[in-house]
Amino acid sequence: MSALLQLSLSEVAKGLQAKEYKVEEVVSACLDRTVATEPKLNACISVLAEQALARARELDAAGPPCPAPSSGCGNAGSTPVVPVGEIAQSLWGVPIGLKDNISLKGSRQTCASRFMENFQPCYNAEVSDRLLAAGAVITAKHNLDEFAMGAGTENSAFGRTHNPWDLDRVPGGSSGGSAAAVAARQCYAALGSDTGGSIRQPAGFCGCVGLKPSYGRVSRYGVAAFGTSFDQVGPLTRTVEDCARLLAVIAGPDAKDATSARLDLFPDNLPGQDFVAQALIGASREPGELLKGLKIGLPVEFWESGVSAEVEAACRDILNKLEGFGAILLPVSLPHQKYALAAYQVMSTAEASTNLARFDGVRFGRRGIPSDSSAAFDDLQELYIASRSQGFGPEVQRRIVLGTYMLSSGCYETYYRKAAQVRRLLVQDFEKALGSAVAGASAASGTCDLLLAPTSAATACKQGALAGDPLMAYKMDLLTIGLNLVGLPGLALPVGLGRESKLPVSLQVMGRAFDEAAMLRLGAVIERLAPAVGEPGGVEAVCK
Amino acid sequence: MPISKESILRISRLARLDLEAGTKFGASENQVEAFVEQMQRIVGYIDILEEADTVGVEPLYSPLQLTAQSRPDVIVQEYTREEILRNAPEQADGFFVVPKVI
């Protein structure tokens, strides 16, 4: 494996800016690594080799951006096209992957569904535009559970993805392709989507850093909708600093997404936006200076939810270290957490059934064939039914039917409205624990600055372990769905390997709304205190 | 609230899905039975919501507590007809083609 691939995103970006190596070298190293590992991992649905190399050559020809327009450019005589700021070109030349439910012009967007296997979007998702504007090179579209519905990347029309730590295990899901690719060094980072844990849980299973931003922090424009009031796009990376750099690029309001938050309208409550600076502070200052007096809440409902002994032990090691440096650990209670999974199932499937109504086989996607294949469809209804029944996999059909049921007359009050009430109660639980769920508001005494809990109760399970038991599969998200219901941010961090399984264990930092900066600062401290997970062994054993 | 196989099949039709038609494309009758049984277990689990005391609680349908934004109501042409039709499974003369409706 090329030494370039051992670098973090932040390191390789720095080297590229300093012209220590060409973009083409870095992109080629990633593509070679992808070719070598894909037969074992199946992390990608589309590898964008040609486009990525063409863009790499363009970037090399133009030369790296200047730090400031006045300081003179590498291209003698030419005028800098745009004044480049810190963020403007922070990903210049860096290979990054996208989960295949995020649209990128010029490549198909399958959502891992047979229905969409040939769909070619005619526009970029807002996050794709922002990555490209920051100079990134998109190298692959990553595998996922069909329409992001699943916890193991086993529900894909393009085959399952394997965990690079142990090829017989799941990488988590639904952003399992992205997590596996980042862990196996196919790319330096990826963007995934998180509706109930789909960034954090696979990041945890693969030993990556994964961030679900606050609801409204990142535009959802151009991302195939699953649960509209739950979905957020976020980074999967190998370090906290990398995660901060990627968030800095994709965060911010977008007029094309009415739910993207206009934080500028609330200047009094505006929390720090300096993600990278805070991550660097966390990585460099004395831990004692940062941790002394920091109030960290431990939600008992999370810690007492059947967490495995090895996950508990690895997480407790970190808690002890944090306490040793002066952090104050406080048990807190989120009493409505016990209803969270049920409320999530009701509301997310209801939203999914509505969102997936547009897949009808008329305007795009795969049209079904009549049951008597020699005849034509009798009417439009039959076309809809055939297209949907043949195009969607079993898990997607299950969630559509469940969601339609939840919204049907007679069930709406019993389930949907009830779940929405529980959702508010859970928000109140988090507000009580965090003083205020809104960042910047003064916290009452006795409440916490941040919360910590395991990301998942156990390390990655064997493939097929959840087959035929969807309820068990849904429970994989038990510790992550709460934040999606309440819209708060969560950061999953590797904290070493489980002593029995030798697989990555992940700790989740939870914070106030739009206070990702504080989470990244603590995350960077934890990253220093935790044993490094190293490189995944499973894929190394077979892909020297 | 228990849910019967009949209601699951009826609801599926409302969602424009035909679980039984799937049998013509490789699914077996057993798979329909398994689907029904799984749905019943999931709904059974969701019934835990009944326990929650929600009297007087205002439902929360979206976590966005900061005002959502609106944009100026102006018409912009972002895509051409050709671009939009490119993904259509069947098209003719600039239109989507569907089976006879009336």
Side-chain angles (χ1 to χ4, degrees):
Chain A
M1 181 166 48
S2 161
L4 287 172
L5 299 178
Q6 306 292 4
L7 302 174
S8 69
L9 177 151
S10 304
E11 289 164 342
V12 83
K14 214 172 151 191
L16 282 162
Q17 306 251 4
K19 284 187 159 180
E20 286 171 28
Y21 24 79
K22 290 189 160 183
V23 179
E24 191 177 346
E25 287 173 64
V26 176
V27 169
S28 296
C30 287
L31 292 172
D32 290 349
R33 177 71 179 161
T34 304
V35 168
T37 52
E38 270 304 271
K40 297 295 174 190
L41 292 180
N42 192 35
C44 304
I45 288 177
S46 306
V47 179
L48 310 177
E50 260 176 57
Q51 296 101 302
L53 284 169
R55 179 161 161 90
R57 288 179 197 124
E58 271 172 38
L59 292 174
D60 279 329
C66 331
S70 57
S71 66
C73 228
N75 288 350
S78 70
T79 317
V81 186
V82 278
V84 276
E86 171 77 13
I87 287 170
Q89 293 287 298
S90 64
L91 303 174
W92 191 82
V94 178
I96 290 177
L98 294 175
K99 187 177 182 177
D100 203 23
N101 59 352
I102 300 173
S103 67
L104 178 71
K105 243 172 132 167
S107 91
R108 63 181 179 159
Q109 177 188 358
T110 68
C111 303
S113 181
R114 194 183 304 163
F115 202 107
M116 297 284 278
E117 63 192 341
N118 296 312
F119 180 77
Q120 294 277 347
C122 63
Y123 60 92
N124 280 335
E126 177 65 15
V127 290
S128 303
D129 268 340
R130 291 189 188 198
L131 288 185
L132 293 171
V137 180
I138 311 295
T139 45
K141 300 292 298 287
H142 291 145
N143 201 9
L144 63 150
D145 287 293
E146 185 178 0
F147 289 105
M149 295 177 186
T153 316
E154 294 186 290
N155 307 327
S156 166
F158 297 83
R160 56 168 50 133
T161 295
H162 302 261
N163 189 317
W165 289 86
D166 177 346
L167 298 173
D168 294 331
R169 290 179 187 270
V170 300
S174 66
S175 310
S178 303
V182 171
R185 275 76 175 157
Q186 289 185 356
C187 51
Y188 291 89
L191 292 185
S193 65
D194 191 314
T195 306
S198 280
I199 290 173
R200 291 161 287 157
Q201 185 255 29
F205 280 7
C206 292
C208 299
V209 175
L211 174 71
K212 181 200 91 74
S214 310
Y215 185 78
R217 174 63 95 180
V218 177
S219 170
R220 297 182 295 105
Y221 178 78
V223 183
F226 162 9
T228 306
S229 77
F230 299 85
D231 299 342
Q232 268 294 287
V233 176
L236 292 107
T237 59
R238 295 196 290 264
T239 74
V240 173
E241 183 189 339
D242 293 355
C243 182
R245 287 191 190 281
L246 215 44
L247 181 64
V249 169
I250 61 171
D254 170 19
K256 298 187 292 307
D257 174 4
T259 65
S260 81
R262 286 287 306 274
L263 295 176
D264 52 320
L265 300 177
F266 298 84
D268 294 342
N269 279 338
L270 197 62
Q273 310 283 309
D274 49 345
F275 310 122
V276 179
Q278 292 301 323
L280 291 173
I281 287 172
S284 57
R285 284 207 198 142
E286 278 298 308
E289 188 189 328
L290 297 164
L291 294 171
K292 190 157 177 53
L294 188 72
K295 284 180 280 187
I296 296 175
L298 309 176
V300 289
E301 290 79 7
F302 283 52
W303 288 89
E304 291 169 7
S305 64
V307 175
S308 74
E310 62 170 5
V311 169
E312 168 112 24
C315 292
R316 290 277 173 197
D317 272 354
I318 298 299
L319 295 185
N320 292 339
K321 287 180 184 167
L322 294 173
E323 203 169 24
F325 281 109
I328 302 160
L329 305 182
L330 301 164
V332 296
S333 178
L334 305 169
H336 296 91
Q337 163 68 17
K338 67 176 165 192
Y339 306 118
L341 181 58
Y344 171 80
Q345 280 305 319
V346 173
M347 299 193 79
S348 69
T349 59
E351 293 182 11
S353 74
T354 311
N355 278 324
L356 270 60
R358 64 176 70 104
F359 297 88
D360 57 9
V362 171
R363 291 155 299 159
F364 57 85
R366 176 186 162 127
R367 182 169 288 191
I369 51 169
S371 51
D372 176 0
S373 57
S374 60
F377 286 111
D378 290 336
D379 58 28
L380 196 51
Q381 297 284 359
E382 291 309 311
L383 182 152
Y384 292 154
I385 291 172
S387 300
R388 292 165 64 80
S389 305
Q390 295 162 33
F392 291 140
E395 182 58 30
V396 173
Q397 296 201 27
R398 181 159 32 244
R399 296 206 198 189
I400 290 173
V401 175
L402 193 59
T404 308
Y405 179 63
M406 294 303 163
L407 292 172
S408 63
S409 64
C411 291
Y412 181 85
E413 291 285 325
T414 321
Y415 292 117
Y416 189 70
R417 192 166 186 280
K418 183 91 179 177
Q421 290 174 310
V422 166
R423 190 176 195 178
R424 184 172 302 277
L425 291 171
L426 192 63
V427 167
Q428 290 168 358
D429 287 352
F430 273 94
E431 281 175 349
K432 210 172 148 203
L434 289 166
S436 162
V438 180
S442 57
S445 63
T447 55
C448 306
D449 298 304
L450 294 150
L451 308 177
L452 283 181
T455 305
S456 300
T459 53
C461 62
K462 289 269 189 197
Q463 289 175 337
L466 306 171
D469 193 349
L471 187 56
M472 187 61 95
Y474 300 163
K475 287 181 178 172
M476 299 283 287
D477 293 336
L478 209 52
L479 303 183
T480 46
I481 47 170
L483 293 184
N484 299 84
L485 280 162
V486 302
L488 297 182
L491 174 67
L493 299 162
V495 289
L497 302 180
R499 59 190 174 204
E500 283 95 35
S501 67
K502 307 290 177 223
L503 294 167
V505 173
S506 179
L507 185 65
Q508 184 176 203
V509 184
M510 298 169 264
R512 298 187 186 118
F514 302 105
D515 206 6
E516 288 89 353
M519 292 163 45
L520 290 161
R521 187 175 58 223
L522 178 62
V525 178
I526 293 173
E527 186 175 50
R528 289 158 72 195
L529 301 178
V533 291
E535 278 175 53
V539 70
E540 274 322 295
V542 288
C543 305
K544 282 287 178 204
Chain B
M1 220 164 39
I3 174 169
S4 64
K5 180 181 174 182
E6 289 65 39
S7 5
I8 290 173
L9 293 176
R10 184 179 56 81
I11 293 283
S12 304
R13 293 290 293 192
L14 289 177
R16 304 291 175 251
L17 290 170
D18 184 346
L19 304 180
E20 289 176 318
T23 56
K24 301 185 183 97
F25 298 94
S28 67
E29 181 62 27
N30 287 344
Q31 281 170 299
V32 177
E33 293 299 328
F35 189 97
V36 168
E37 190 265 335
Q38 288 162 349
M39 288 286 294
Q40 288 167 336
R41 288 186 51 212
I42 295 163
V43 174
Y45 175 81
I46 288 171
D47 281 336
I48 190 182
L49 287 175
E50 281 172 27
E51 287 174 19
D53 179 3
T54 56
V55 176
V57 177
E58 186 66 23
L60 178 68
Y61 297 107
S62 169
L64 196 73
Q65 297 184 40
L66 294 167
T67 311
Q69 55 180 331
S70 56
R71 62 181 171 198
D73 187 16
V74 286
I75 297 170
V76 285
Q77 181 170 2
E78 291 176 274
Y79 318 109
T80 63
R81 180 184 285 223
E82 289 68 37
E83 282 176 310
I84 297 298
L85 281 169
R86 198 171 295 149
N87 283 297
E90 198 180 340
Q91 52 158 305
D93 306 324
F95 293 95
F96 298 111
V97 174
V98 294
K100 198 167 74 175
V101 181
I102 45 169

